[in-house]
Amino acid sequence: QVQLVESGGGLVQAGGSLRLSCAASGNIFRFTNMGWYRQAPGNQRELVASITRGGRTNYADSVKGRFTISGDNAKNTVYLQMNSLKPEDTAVYYCNVDVIWLGNQYNYWGQGTQVTVSS
């Protein structure tokens, strides 16, 4: 089992910043990919950003230039720095990780953290 502990969500005014963190612990040999998804009411869950163990990143077009994903391999932690936040960024943000354990790959979701951007 893997536990994901997310933190950093909250309420911020448009133009402000927040930093999300997701720490993974438990049965992890190594992670291969870590990412952040978000889901707003009435919408499907969508990828915000992801990062591979090697540091390759991928961003949704809507957040490019505003959000930065980074990872700490030693701590099995992924961060999402969110700048220039907009009301449309309001959503529940979920951490997602792919981990290798005993030769098998597993995928896990965090419990979600609310981000609310007021106009």
Side-chain angles (χ1 to χ4, degrees):
Q1 277 289 1
V2 170
Q3 295 77 43
L4 300 178
V5 178
E6 300 164 342
S7 60
L11 173 64
V12 65
Q13 289 188 332
S17 299
L18 285 173
R19 188 190 193 210
L20 305 182
S21 299
C22 174
S25 62
N27 295 338
I28 302 172
F29 174 66
R30 69 175 185 273
F31 78 86
T32 57
N33 191 68
M34 300 183 83
W36 290 94
Y37 289 71
R38 67 186 180 187
Q39 187 168 20
N43 290 354
Q44 290 187 333
R45 191 171 296 187
E46 62 177 0
L47 175 68
V48 177
S50 64
I51 186 168
T52 67
R53 186 173 183 83
R56 182 178 298 177
T57 59
N58 181 47
Y59 294 94
D61 288 342
S62 59
V63 307
K64 284 180 180 177
R66 300 188 297 123
F67 292 9
T68 302
I69 190 169
S70 60
D72 185 328
N73 292 344
K75 297 181 178 179
N76 288 325
T77 299
V78 62
Y79 307 95
L80 185 68
Q81 178 66 44
M82 304 185 294
N83 298 329
S84 302
L85 282 160
K86 304 175 181 180
E88 51 263 44
D89 294 317
T90 295
V92 178
Y93 284 69
Y94 296 91
C95 177
N96 180 267
V97 301
D98 291 315
V99 302
I100 300 294
W101 177 250
L102 299 180
N104 297 310
Q105 180 162 302
Y106 300 89
N107 183 266
Y108 295 94
W109 289 94
Q111 79 282 2
T113 185
Q114 177 70 46
V115 171
T116 302
V117 184
S118 63
S119 57

